[in-house]
Amino acid sequence: MERLWGLFQRAQQLSPRSSQTVYQRVEGPRKGHLEEEEEDGEEGAETLAHFCPMELRGPEPLGSRPRQPNLIPWAAAGRRAAPYLVLTALLIFTGAFLLGYVAFRGSCQACGDSVLVVSEDVNYEPDLDFHQGRLYWSDLQAMFLQFLGEGRLEDTIRQTSLRERVAGSAGMAALTQDIRAALSRQKLDHVWTDTHYVGLQFPDPAHPNTLHWVDEAGKVGEQLPLEDPDVYCPYSAIGNVTGELVYAHYGRPEDLQDLRARGVDPVGRLLLVRVGVISFAQKVTNAQDFGAQGVLIYPEPADFSQDPPKPSLSSQQAVYGHVHLGTGDPYTPGFPSFNQTQFPPVASSGLPSIPAQPISADIASRLLRKLKGPVAPQEWQGSLLGSPYHLGPGPRLRLVVNNHRTSTPINNIFGCIEGRSEPDHYVVIGAQRDAWGPGAAKSAVGTAILLELVRTFSSMVSNGFRPRRSLLFISWDGGDFGSVGSTEWLEGYLSVLHLKAVVYVSLDNAVLGDDKFHAKTSPLLTSLIESVLKQVDSPNHSGQTLYEQVVFTNPSWDAEVIRPLPMDSSAYSFTAFVGVPAVEFSFMEAYPFLHTKEDTYENLHKVLQGRLPAVAQAVAQLAGQLLIRLSHDRLLPLDFGRYGDVVLRHIGNLNEFSGDLKARGLTLQWVYSARGDYIRAAEKLRQEIYSSEERDERLTRMYNVRIMRVEFYFLSQYVSPADSPFRHIFMGRGDHTLGALLDHLRLLRSNSSGTPGATSSTGFQESRFRRQLALLTWTLQGAANALSGDVWNIDNNF
């Protein structure tokens, strides 16, 4: 436009004479049409013969007699002025077009979804246009908060907790229909359900599980009453075992080693362990590894808050929990359970071979009173007895477990808002829907927040908002049996999801109190979580953000907040199995009712002293703003350089054994080199992004693809997903992981009998160490190579 204007001004300076346009009648086939023609005065005599009576006249005095025009001067002027008139017309046309475009874009409601761009006033990527004008992050945040309602959250939590929703039950089928109908009423692009046929284990009403005393002669005596026959451990081994009782604290490996060091051998005995610290499955696996016959698990009152205003767990109440050391259907490990497909008869290696049963604190108290032997360490003591706890052994017991396996259909429900620029990249958020009991904290809170977020984002879409990437909302079934619904879905779409899923956000166990805030997450999300915490108000500290609440008690906010993903979280499989970064938020305190029939709305409300709506609202705000950043930022806000720090921290642990390895002619140098290559690749990518053209969509997408797959790069490509499904070298399970390598290195400093498990009888093995080192090194090196980009960009210093 400026160039045209300059030409126009220059033309005026060079030729200030007047110009005129004349018209020529076209002969022949186009006779009767007028054609614009430029005339020159010097050719006046020749062109006069072609003029028609339609001519351009100058102004005449009123009442004057018409006169014959002087055509030659007019024609000459027209020829000289025509180029400048054309430039003027082009200038006017261009200006009118731009004005019309702006007006059209501002008024077109239908086009709002396709031209959205988020601008930023606090270091966010400009990526969104809004039909009412430019929408900044503060505007987008205000829109989200405006539509996020608090009242509906509380009502939905209450109503959901009152409904029966055990996986496979009639009540769950009704709830599934209701939630799908609720999603269908919103402005979503797709709503659907998938069904899996999975093997679940339930108690047998005709043959309940039992626990009996056994006398010295081996005769079965008095039965100890299990107050609630519905409380059981899904996937426990079936059968009966007899053995002396031993108290083993939380059942961790270090607890069992300590027990053995104090002269009490777990081999051939029943272990009594407390709820907490590690999962039920880990307790049973550890007991099995140490040679125990079976496990009894009880809730220790001393582990929960003794604050009188807050309710406490009944002493007759046992705690439910599955004991499969893994996720998904353990009878189709590594394969999806669609359409009742028949797979070879195989079971997960994480299924225990010994029985397990939950018991109440009252029954545990009776058992503890019978124990003899050494006094338990001070940190093992509880509050059930007036006298110190002993380690045992105690009297013999007979445990009978009669659970039975049933093929059960479960249903996951999905709703999707398609992205406008990257619809094939999904930001996934999910919540468990099923519950063994009332499940207010376990799943009702997460389900309520999920539905509220669906409604909120749907309202934003109705008001012209559209994410850059797709938002996928999921209600999971079968979560209480070990994230069965989510894992089966991941297994079914494994080849797709690692290419398309950007991040998974879990709403499970979101509100277990309001005292502490934890984020169990991948390192890639740590920086983003810190940023979002600064945008959300604390629910119980007026005038503070969540970030300020955390740093008030601990200046190192990440040490206070960030936790590793546990296996019993639905988020774990996303990261350790598929390679998708994931996070699970939790407001925590000693909530005693989780996985019990006392996990009711009323008890949750009392524990939070009336702050349940505010805390649930804070979680919804946190999750929602995280979704906005992940789905709208032009460049994915994942900190791909963070894993360099993670590797460095772990190398510090490996360095302890460098001297021992050197004495054997071994070295860890290759791991150090791979870590260096990763750091250089991350810095190189950061510099490329910094110096690239911000609006180049091809480059942006290329960078986003490399960033979103960083987590996948840490899945070992050298082990089978069927044999080792959790292939992540930092968070997975198996010989390929860094944890396994460290455990093996520790054998360098212990005798052959000092550590239980597969390596205890053989000690350190050089061949195994070399294989572990190769698996770890090449996975880390592969991550560095992938982050570098195309093969011609890779600069290995290996």
Side-chain angles (χ1 to χ4, degrees):
M1 182 69 73
E2 291 177 356
R3 189 176 179 184
L4 289 174
W5 180 248
L7 288 172
F8 178 68
Q9 287 181 319
R10 178 176 175 82
Q12 282 186 321
Q13 291 170 358
L14 293 175
S15 180
R17 294 171 296 177
S18 62
S19 63
Q20 192 69 39
T21 302
V22 297
Y23 295 87
Q24 177 184 13
R25 185 176 298 279
V26 179
E27 303 295 336
R30 298 183 58 200
K31 186 174 182 179
H33 294 274
L34 298 178
E35 186 176 74
E36 190 176 86
E37 183 180 58
E38 296 177 355
E39 294 294 329
D40 194 332
E42 297 175 355
E43 301 171 352
E46 183 177 345
T47 57
L48 253 170
H50 299 283
F51 282 0
C52 66
M54 179 180 290
E55 72 246 10
L56 296 174
R57 300 176 180 269
E60 295 181 76
L62 287 176
S64 64
R65 180 176 179 271
R67 58 185 175 85
Q68 185 71 19
N70 184 0
L71 295 179
I72 294 177
W74 281 92
R79 180 183 178 279
R80 290 190 295 270
Y84 313 123
L85 284 177
V86 170
L87 288 174
T88 304
L90 184 59
L91 182 66
I92 294 172
F93 173 81
T94 305
F97 173 81
L98 291 176
L99 287 172
Y101 172 74
V102 172
F104 173 76
R105 187 174 66 170
S107 61
C108 179
Q109 297 287 341
C111 300
D113 289 346
S114 62
V115 292
L116 292 171
V117 178
V118 171
S119 290
E120 53 184 309
D121 48 4
V122 284
N123 299 323
Y124 289 94
E125 301 295 340
D127 230 11
L128 183 80
D129 242 349
F130 194 54
H131 68 269
Q132 296 170 342
R134 176 159 292 214
L135 185 65
Y136 292 88
W137 166 252
S138 57
D139 302 320
L140 185 57
Q141 189 179 41
M143 179 194 288
F144 170 75
L145 296 176
Q146 174 189 348
F147 290 119
L148 183 67
E150 182 176 307
R152 296 191 181 189
L153 272 173
E154 187 176 11
D155 292 341
T156 307
I157 294 169
R158 182 190 294 109
Q159 293 167 10
T160 305
S161 65
L162 294 175
R163 302 184 65 163
E164 179 203 6
R165 54 189 194 285
V166 176
S169 67
M172 171 55 85
L175 181 61
T176 300
Q177 293 298 322
D178 290 347
I179 290 182
R180 172 159 183 163
L183 296 187
S184 298
R185 288 192 294 269
Q186 303 300 331
K187 188 178 180 181
L188 303 178
D189 295 301
H190 310 283
V191 175
W192 74 100
T193 303
D194 70 22
T195 302
H196 300 267
Y197 297 85
V198 298
L200 304 182
Q201 200 183 72
F202 297 96
D204 187 349
H207 303 90
N209 301 340
T210 59
L211 183 66
H212 290 80
W213 295 112
V214 177
D215 62 21
E216 294 181 358
K219 182 179 179 181
V220 177
E222 176 191 359
Q223 179 176 344
L224 286 88
L226 301 177
E227 292 92 346
D228 189 344
D230 292 335
V231 185
Y232 71 114
C233 287
Y235 304 123
S236 164
I238 309 304
N240 62 83
V241 293
T242 301
E244 295 176 312
L245 186 69
V246 169
Y247 172 53
H249 202 208
Y250 292 110
R252 298 169 297 185
E254 55 266 36
D255 294 332
L256 297 173
Q257 290 168 10
D258 196 1
L259 191 66
R260 179 179 286 168
R262 294 172 185 271
V264 182
D265 195 343
V267 174
R269 287 167 168 158
L270 293 179
L271 300 188
L272 178 65
V273 300
R274 291 152 70 150
V275 171
V277 181
I278 59 175
S279 69
F280 278 37
Q282 290 171 304
K283 296 175 192 294
V284 176
T285 298
N286 294 336
Q288 179 178 300
D289 289 345
F290 276 79
Q293 290 271 55
V295 182
L296 301 173
I297 307 172
Y298 81 98
E300 169 59 57
D303 289 335
F304 303 104
S305 173
Q306 303 300 309
D307 189 356
K310 296 186 179 181
S312 58
L313 184 66
S314 166
S315 61
Q316 290 84 39
Q317 183 67 65
V319 178
Y320 165 98
H322 78 88
V323 292
H324 171 218
L325 189 66
T327 63
D329 180 0
Y331 305 110
T332 59
F335 298 95
S337 301
F338 283 123
N339 302 324
Q340 295 181 315
T341 305
Q342 297 300 308
F343 291 100
V346 64
S348 167
S349 60
L351 285 173
S353 60
I354 61 176
Q357 175 66 31
I359 61 174
S360 69
D362 277 354
I363 298 300
S365 179
R366 291 182 60 180
L367 297 177
L368 286 165
R369 292 180 191 279
K370 299 287 187 178
L371 292 182
K372 308 296 183 182
V375 174
Q378 181 59 41
E379 60 272 19
W380 291 30
Q381 296 297 323
S383 60
L384 285 176
L385 305 178
S387 58
Y389 289 18
H390 288 256
L391 298 178
R396 301 178 72 195
L397 293 167
R398 184 171 187 261
L399 173 63
V400 179
V401 173
N402 293 316
N403 304 335
H404 65 97
R405 171 186 164 188
T406 303
S407 179
T408 307
I410 62 172
N411 297 282
N412 299 324
I413 310 168
F414 302 82
C416 176
I417 296 174
E418 280 195 20
R420 60 179 180 84
S421 300
E422 301 177 42
D424 57 331
H425 291 163
Y426 319 143
V427 177
V428 187
I429 183 165
Q432 175 182 329
R433 184 173 74 258
D434 67 300
W436 170 78
K442 178 60 182 176
S443 63
V445 169
T447 297
I449 294 174
L450 180 72
L451 292 175
E452 190 67 9
L453 288 173
V454 170
R455 186 194 62 80
T456 300
F457 278 95
S458 175
S459 298
M460 293 171 68
V461 167
S462 298
N463 281 266
F465 174 75
R466 197 75 181 187
R468 179 185 180 94
R469 303 172 191 91
S470 295
L471 286 168
L472 188 57
F473 303 92
I474 311 178
S475 175
W476 303 117
D477 199 353
D480 261 359
F481 291 84
S483 304
V484 174
S486 58
T487 302
E488 294 306 307
W489 183 69
L490 291 173
E491 289 174 344
Y493 301 100
L494 180 61
S495 58
V496 174
L497 291 174
H498 85 272
L499 299 172
K500 295 181 178 289
V502 177
V503 165
Y504 176 66
V505 179
S506 171
L507 298 174
D508 296 341
N509 304 309
V511 181
L512 302 177
D514 66 350
D515 184 24
K516 295 181 180 295
F517 176 79
H518 291 161
K520 302 160 191 154
T521 186
S522 159
L524 292 175
L525 289 164
T526 303
S527 298
L528 179 59
I529 291 169
E530 177 182 7
S531 174
V532 175
L533 285 177
K534 295 175 180 178
Q535 304 292 320
V536 179
D537 291 337
S538 167
N540 58 357
H541 290 77
S542 179
Q544 285 187 340
T545 64
L546 274 177
Y547 180 81
E548 290 168 338
Q549 175 186 331
V550 170
V551 298
F552 181 78
T553 57
N554 190 338
S556 178
W557 80 271
D558 53 344
E560 178 73 13
V561 170
I562 302 301
R563 298 286 186 274
L565 281 166
M567 184 181 287
D568 56 0
S569 165
S570 64
Y572 179 81
S573 290
F574 274 85
T575 300
F577 177 52
V578 183
V580 174
V583 60
E584 179 179 290
F585 300 115
S586 296
F587 279 93
M588 304 287 293
E589 64 182 86
Y591 182 71
F593 306 115
L594 196 65
H595 293 124
T596 75
K597 290 190 174 180
E598 295 181 20
D599 182 14
T600 63
Y601 168 81
E602 290 74 20
N603 277 336
L604 181 60
H605 201 277
K606 289 176 183 175
V607 167
L608 270 70
Q609 298 180 325
R611 290 193 295 272
L612 173 58
V615 179
Q617 177 86 346
V619 174
Q621 289 183 20
L622 186 64
Q625 295 190 52
L626 196 73
L627 293 181
I628 293 172
R629 289 293 310 276
L630 289 166
S631 64
H632 283 279
D633 279 12
R634 182 184 64 85
L635 200 67
L636 280 171
L638 302 180
D639 189 357
F640 49 85
R642 180 76 66 158
Y643 263 116
D645 301 331
V646 172
V647 177
L648 182 61
R649 186 166 63 249
H650 286 298
I651 283 178
N653 296 327
L654 294 174
N655 280 338
E656 296 179 33
F657 306 97
S658 57
D660 302 272
L661 290 172
K662 187 176 182 180
R664 293 171 174 260
L666 302 172
T667 179
L668 294 167
Q669 180 59 41
W670 303 121
V671 176
Y672 305 153
S673 296
R675 185 257 174 185
D677 281 349
Y678 184 87
I679 293 296
R680 284 185 287 275
E683 183 58 30
K684 180 182 176 184
L685 177 57
R686 189 178 290 110
Q687 290 298 327
E688 284 181 23
I689 293 171
Y690 178 79
S691 59
S692 66
E693 171 57 45
E694 183 180 0
R695 290 302 179 183
D696 188 328
E697 281 296 321
R698 185 188 68 84
L699 271 179
T700 298
R701 183 177 178 85
M702 182 184 73
Y703 291 142
N704 280 337
V705 167
R706 284 161 68 182
I707 292 170
M708 69 180 278
R709 294 181 188 169
V710 166
E711 201 77 71
F712 177 75
Y713 302 155
F714 290 105
L715 299 188
S716 178
Q717 305 301 306
Y718 308 101
V719 296
S720 165
D723 298 332
S724 301
F726 304 123
R727 293 178 293 151
H728 202 287
I729 59 173
F730 299 118
M731 287 177 267
R733 295 183 62 85
D735 227 30
H736 60 283
T737 63
L738 184 59
L741 177 63
L742 279 169
D743 288 342
H744 191 194
L745 286 174
R746 291 187 182 105
L747 295 177
L748 286 167
R749 298 182 180 179
S750 63
N751 56 44
S752 61
S753 62
T755 303
T759 60
S760 61
S761 60
T762 56
F764 180 83
Q765 301 174 27
E766 183 175 326
S767 60
R768 181 186 173 211
F769 167 78
R770 289 182 180 276
R771 182 175 185 277
Q772 286 180 304
L773 190 63
L775 289 172
L776 179 67
T777 299
W778 282 111
T779 302
L780 183 56
Q781 185 64 45
N785 293 345
L787 198 63
S788 295
D790 295 307
V791 291
W792 51 82
N793 292 325
I794 297 173
D795 183 20
N796 275 347
N797 290 322
F798 229 71

